[in-house]
Structure formats: C-alpha cells, structure tokens
C-alpha cells in the first residue's frame, strides 16, 4: 500500500498555469482541495488476485474536472492499462467515461483484449457441477498424506482469449430527476482450446480435462466448443441518485437492461437445429448506499439477477454479466473478485443467476498529501449467489448415467464425472477489505474473502486491485 501511495503521489499532477504564478488552492465545505483541469494518475499496476496470481504492468487514469464546479465528479475520464498475471493471463484495455462531453448525454466506451492460459471451468449449475478431479484422486491414492494438501492440476482449466468492445449511452428520461434511458452495442470474440497441461502444470499423464469431457459427452456442443463471435443490442433504464460514482456515501443505483444477443458465426457444417444463434435476456441490478454516520460510515448493498427469456446462450457467454457501465474490468461471474470474493471464479455458472453483496464502509481517516485528497476505509463484507436457471442439466444427467452404466458393465466404481447429484443452493463468502482513496475517484483496493462451503474453495483468498466492486 505504501509503494502504491508513493507511486500515485509521484505521478499525480494537475493542469496548472505556468509556475511563475502559482494557483491558489480552493477548498469545499468538507475541507477538500477542489480539483480543476486535467489530473493525471499514471501507476505501476501492482496487484494480486487469488484466482489469477500476482499482477504487474502499467496503467494511467486521466481525469478532467473542468472549472471544478462539479468536483468530486469529473467531466470525463480515460484509462489505459497493459498488465499481466503470473498464473498465465493478461489484459490490454482502453476505456472512457464521458458524462458531460455531449450535452445531456453520458457516453461510455470499452475496448479490451483478455488472454488466459489458465481460465477456470468448473462445470454448470453450481453444486450440480462435479468436484471430481482425477489428478487429485490419483495423488491421494498414491500418497494419503496429500489429502489436506493442494494438488497442482489442470483438470478445471481451459485456454481462453477474448476481445471485447462495449459502447453505451445514457440520456434523461423526459426530464424525470435521476431517471435515464440507456442504449448500447457490444461485441465479443472468444476463442477457447484445451489447456496445455504439460506446459502449464508439468503433468505428462494428465487425463482429459473437464472441458474435454463435456465436449466429448455433448454437454458442450462441438460447433460452439472453440468459441465464436457474439453481438449484442442493449436497451435499458437506470435510476441514479448517488452522490458520487466511484465512492458513493448515499443514494440508489438501479439498472434494468434487456439484451438481445446473436451468434455472428454461420457454420453450415452443423445442423441448423444444433446451432446456438440468438437469445434474449434481462439483467437487473440494485445498489443502495445508506449513510449511518455522516459520510464516515455507510451501509451498502447490491442485489443482482440475470435470466434468459428466450433462445439459448452459448456456453462461453453464460458467465457474462450484461451491464451497461463497468465498475470493474472483469464483468464475469459468479465467483471471484467482482461478485463473490472467496468463491472459486466461474464456480457458479448457469443460464440464470442471482447474487447479493453487503458491505459496511467505514472511512477511518482523511488527509491531504502531495496536493491530493486521501481517505483510508475499511469494508467488512458478505457475498452470496445462486443459479436460478439451470444450463443443460438434462445433458449432464444423461452423460453421468451413461458413464455409470458403462462402469457397471466393467465392474468398476463410477465417479461423479459429469454431474454431482447435489442440489443447488446458496453459495456464500465473507471477509474484509481495505481501501486507499484519492480524490474520491482513484481507489486502491485490498479484499480478503473466504468461501463458507469447502466445495466453493478453500482458504482465505486475497484480491488487490482498484475500486469497490459496486
């Protein structure tokens, strides 16, 4: 945290007049320095995600506050990032948030390329997913002393790359205060292949992964197994009465988005009835920030749900959270650093899902340093989520039954390879976070979370990055 503080301080600077005439500082009623003009915040990217590993790279936040009359709100913001994680993934990203460039219109653009040599895949439908891992089971058979130890395995990983473009706009709904209509376009190009287990894990005898088993069993259709092109048309409504975008202390943010998605691929080698061509889904998000003691203590919670209405979603898109404007770089769930901290990333996949996050945000201390306004905050939290609309459940059950019948003929004990037989229920995690906030806009975040059920992951998982998760 100290290294990040010094790095921000070294580079953060204001657009000022020539040094010959030093500009006098202006303060608001809270005693904060009112920022004007351009404010640059280049940073070395230094982070850690329990699911992704250590992160390193470079990024830069560029703010424009104009004459300062809207501070701490900015006129517009740009962000550029190039970073990599030590577990084999990385990101190149540019996004812009332009709330005042066009009169009465908020614009948002995001262009991101993700690559991941080890991208988690635990199956579908939460606790219905099989927990069986042949590498782990074999290690336990050979050496029972490994029962309580973490075994290196590539069974629950795939190799995934994705190009994402999202453009969104927001305008007032007939002048009703805080109520806006939204529209947007999105494009995703996803490529998927089996993980190179020899290269990534040094397991020469690694058996087929869960992903390969699902493809071979027909749970994942062969025409969509390697990914594809997806386009989206988005239309929604947003109610926003928050006092601030990045660090709100009061207000409500509610978003309802209708998303029509279509598969751009047209591969004629597969029967028409087997091609996943389109789907219509609905996403609802509700965030509420309730001040308990002035701006020092805030009770915050988020409720979210996403369900398919018609059609079928390609398997490589069911974890995408279709929101108009991003708070975090990754918009995928459930599980991991943006939805359920401590639960395995992508550990709760379904055609439809619901989740909740509850936090108590305590701003411990505020101070000024290197001409910037700083705050330190704690945020104990509780996260929960559940699959509400199953995905190819019958195919999973059929594949498991076929496997068990085959093993019975061979007089061998069958494992839960395709379907666990467990009933889906609520997945939960809890923990605490620490935040370092500059000018109410740049937030360095540390969260520590643990799953409350061992099937969702073991141990305390740290997540170091930027921003609150909502």
């Amino acid at each position: 945290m100290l290294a990040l503080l010094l790095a921000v301080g070294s580079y953060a600077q204001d657009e000022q007049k020539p040094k010959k005439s030093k500009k006098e500082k202006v303060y608001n009623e809270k005693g904060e320095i009112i920022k004007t003009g351009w404010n640059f915040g280049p940073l070395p990217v230094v982070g850690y995600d329990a699911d992704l590993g250590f992160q390193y790279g470079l990024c830069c936040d560029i703010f424009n506050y104009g004459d300062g009359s809207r501070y701490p709100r900015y006129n517009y913001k740009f962000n550029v990032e190039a970073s990599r994680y030590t577990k084999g993934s990385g990101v190149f990203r540019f996004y812009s948030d332009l709330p005042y460039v066009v009169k009465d219109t908020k614009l948002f653009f995001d262009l991101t390329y993700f690559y991941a040599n080890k991208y988690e895949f635990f199956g579908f439908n939460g606790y219905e997913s099989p927990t069986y891992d042949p590498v782990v089971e074999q290690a336990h058979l050979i050496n029972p002393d490994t029962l309580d130890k973490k075994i290196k395995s590539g069974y629950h990983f795939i190799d995934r790359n994705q190009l994402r473009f999202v453009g969104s706009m927001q305008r007032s709904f007939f002048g009703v205060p805080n109520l806006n209509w939204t529209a947007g376009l999105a494009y995703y190009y996803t490529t998927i292949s089996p993980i190179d287990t020899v290269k990534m894990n040094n397991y020469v005898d690694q058996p087929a992964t869960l992903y390969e088993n699902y493809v071979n069993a027909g749970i994942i259709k062969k025409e969509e197994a390697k990914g594809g092109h997806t386009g989206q048309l988005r239309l929604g409504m947003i109610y926003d009465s928050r006092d601030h975008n990045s660090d709100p202390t009061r207000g409500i943010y509610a978003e309802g988005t209708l998303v029509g998605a279509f598969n751009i691929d047209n591969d004629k080698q597969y029967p028409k009835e087997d091609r996943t061509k389109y789907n219509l889904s609905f996403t609802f998000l509700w965030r509420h920030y309730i001040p308990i003691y002035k701006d020092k203590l805030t009770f915050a919670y988020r409720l979210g749900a996403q369900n398919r209405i018609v059609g079928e979603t390609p398997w490589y898109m069911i974890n995408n959270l279709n929101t108009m404007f991003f708070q975090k770089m990754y918009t995928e769930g459930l599980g991991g650093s943006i939805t359920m901290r401590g639960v395995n990333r992508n550990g709760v996949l379904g055609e439809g899902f619901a989740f909740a996050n509850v936090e108590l945000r305590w701003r411990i201390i505020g101070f000024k340093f290197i001409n910037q306004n700083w705050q330190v905050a704690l945020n104990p939290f509780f996260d929960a989520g559940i699959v509400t609309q199953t995905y190819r459940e019958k195919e999973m059950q059929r594949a498991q039954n076929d496997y068990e019948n085959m093993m019975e003929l061979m007089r061998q004990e069958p494992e839960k390879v395709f379907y666990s037989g467990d009933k889906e229920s609520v997945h939960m995690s809890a923990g605490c976070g620490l935040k370092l906030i500059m000018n109410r806009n740049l937030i360095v975040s540390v969260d520590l979370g643990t799953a409350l059920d061992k099937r969702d992951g073991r141990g305390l998982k740290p997540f170091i990055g930027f921003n609150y998760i909502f």
Side-chain angles (χ1 to χ4, degrees), residues 276-380:
T276 304
K277 298 305 298 179
Y278 71 93
N279 65 83
L280 183 67
S281 64
F282 181 73
T283 304
F284 177 74
L285 297 173
W286 173 277
R287 311 178 202 166
H288 195 183
Y289 307 89
I290 304 171
I292 297 177
Y293 177 69
K294 299 182 179 179
D295 289 340
K296 298 294 184 182
L297 191 64
T298 302
F299 176 75
Y301 68 92
R302 175 177 67 170
L303 305 176
Q306 182 167 294
N307 277 82
R308 172 186 49 79
I309 301 173
V310 296
E312 185 182 48
T313 308
W315 82 275
Y316 52 85
M317 290 297 294
I318 63 171
N319 67 335
N320 194 64
L321 183 61
N322 299 318
T323 179
M324 282 288 187
F325 305 102
F326 301 161
Q327 184 83 358
K328 288 279 194 177
M329 180 187 341
Y330 290 95
T331 58
E332 300 171 337
L334 296 177
S337 61
I338 68 163
T339 50
M340 290 188 291
R341 292 154 286 187
V343 173
N344 292 327
R345 189 170 73 134
N346 297 324
V348 188
L349 297 183
E351 186 75 87
F353 52 82
F355 64 96
N357 308 105
V358 179
E359 295 191 351
L360 189 64
R361 299 177 180 179
W362 175 30
R363 295 161 185 82
I364 303 172
I365 188 172
F367 59 95
K368 297 173 185 63
F369 178 59
I370 49 174
N371 200 33
Q372 311 293 333
N373 303 302
W374 300 87
Q375 287 186 326
V376 178
L378 279 176
N379 60 301

Side-chain angles (χ1 to χ4, degrees), residues 68 75 134 175 209 214 231 250 259 316 346 432:
N75 285 5
T209 62
Y214 269 37
R250 64 190 69 235
V259 177
Y316 52 85
N346 297 324
C432 189

Side-chain angles (χ1 to χ4, degrees), residues 118-287:
K118 291 176 64 177
Y119 187 80
E120 297 86 344
F121 176 64
F122 293 94
F124 305 135
N125 308 324
Y127 290 136
E128 293 185 4
S129 305
T131 58
Y132 172 74
D133 185 330
V135 174
V136 174
E137 294 297 325
Q138 184 67 22
H140 291 167
L141 286 174
I142 295 173
N143 184 4
D145 293 337
T146 62
L147 286 173
D148 295 325
K149 296 180 180 179
K150 187 174 181 179
I151 306 299
K152 194 175 184 182
S153 170
Y155 186 71
H156 288 107
F157 291 101
I158 57 176
D159 187 314
R160 192 201 77 154
N161 301 322
Q162 186 180 81
L163 177 67
R164 178 185 74 191
F165 170 75
V166 175
S168 304
M169 65 176 292
Q170 172 181 305
R171 288 181 62 89
S172 175
F173 187 74
F174 297 107
V176 179
N178 302 321
L179 187 63
N180 306 278
W181 65 266
T182 60
L185 295 169
Y187 166 75
Y188 298 83
Y189 175 47
T190 307
T191 61
I192 294 170
S193 60
I195 183 177
D196 187 338
T197 54
V198 176
K199 177 182 176 182
M200 299 301 298
N201 294 284
N202 297 318
Y203 275 107
V204 178
D205 297 325
Q206 170 82 45
T209 62
L210 178 64
Y211 159 73
E212 291 172 295
N213 286 337
Y214 269 37
V215 173
N216 294 333
I219 301 171
I220 294 176
K221 300 176 183 178
K222 290 186 177 181
E223 70 273 14
E224 63 175 9
K226 296 181 180 180
H229 301 262
T230 302
Q232 291 184 343
L233 300 175
R234 301 177 175 184
L235 185 65
M237 297 288 291
I238 290 179
Y239 176 83
D240 188 0
S241 63
R242 296 172 299 169
D243 61 342
H244 194 266
N245 290 337
S246 302
D247 182 30
T249 61
R250 64 190 69 235
I252 292 173
Y253 178 95
E255 175 182 337
T257 305
L258 193 65
V259 177
F262 50 94
N263 185 358
I264 300 174
D265 299 318
N266 186 21
D267 198 334
K268 295 183 179 180
Q269 66 174 306
Y270 298 103
K272 185 176 181 180
E273 61 272 15
D274 288 343
R275 296 182 219 149
T276 304
K277 298 305 298 179
Y278 71 93
N279 65 83
L280 183 67
S281 64
F282 181 73
T283 304
F284 177 74
L285 297 173
W286 173 277
R287 311 178 202 166

Side-chain angles (χ1 to χ4, degrees), residues 392-404:
R392 298 181 183 171
E393 182 181 36
K394 292 181 179 179
E395 289 86 342
M396 292 169 59
Q397 293 172 343
R398 185 193 66 244
Q400 182 64 34
N401 290 334
D402 292 344
Y403 171 74
E404 291 181 359

